[in-house]
Amino acid sequence: MPQHAPSTTEPIGSIDPGTLHLRLHPDAVLRAKARPVGEVTDNVREVAQRMLQIMHEEEGIGLAAPQVGLPWRMFVCMVPADPKAGDLSEGVREDTAGNPMVCIDPVLTPGGPLASVEEGCLSLPDIRGQINRQVEVSMEATGLDGKRFTVNAAGLLARCIQHEVDHLDGVLIIDKFGQLDRLRTRSALRRLERKAR
Ligand code: ZN
């Protein structure tokens, strides 16, 4: 099992963004509970830029810091608009309006009913399954300017935010799969685990 993750005692502020790369299951860093970032330093901003670069290269819509080996409470996302999306209530967003979003130390308040939608994850290539999540979420987080902001999200953005915050708690989509998806993805998961040895 590859274990090149910096230890959780390594100070924020000493990370060389050039060394960061996508981590795949079963890398142990994906199972760590990430710690708060706190102050948004130049190094935090550099790490966020590198995370956005990796996310774009991998053609993902979201990427959490543990996925690049950092057990920090931070994620980036860029969620495209859904042309099929219905009318939204005032102040609710389903996408990031063409801009990348950096979210540091997020706090979530999910709402609305549960819905099951297929999800994938950059750290679990070729593995997809149905995940139950609440359809709305209100998030408070710190931006790159160091200020707290609030987003009221629905649709794909709400799903993406909840998926990324799961990463900060060491939770992966495979933990939330139902019996059917567990069976269906078993061999792909084993292949991935074998490759890491
Ligand atoms: Zn993921």
Side-chain angles (χ1 to χ4, degrees), residues 10-86:
E10 188 159 341
I12 285 172
S14 62
I15 302 299
D16 175 359
T19 62
L20 302 177
H21 61 273
L22 182 65
R23 304 303 180 93
L24 302 181
H25 171 78
D27 195 316
V29 72
L30 295 170
R31 294 311 197 170
K33 180 148 173 73
R35 69 199 164 118
V37 174
E39 193 195 345
V40 181
T41 60
D42 284 345
N43 192 227
V44 169
R45 279 186 279 269
E46 285 164 6
V47 166
Q49 290 311 322
R50 175 70 184 136
M51 285 173 61
L52 284 167
Q53 187 187 15
I54 295 170
M55 182 184 76
H56 292 312
E57 280 168 6
E58 301 290 338
E59 298 178 353
I61 62 166
L63 185 70
Q67 292 182 276
V68 298
L70 293 177
W72 295 4
R73 300 195 78 78
M74 167 164 140
F75 71 90
V76 298
C77 66
M78 187 154 162
V79 176
D82 178 0
K84 297 189 304 253

Side-chain angles (χ1 to χ4, degrees), residues 67 120-123 163-164 167:
Q67 292 182 276
C121 178
L122 291 179
S123 295
H163 175 120
E164 300 313 329
H167 275 300

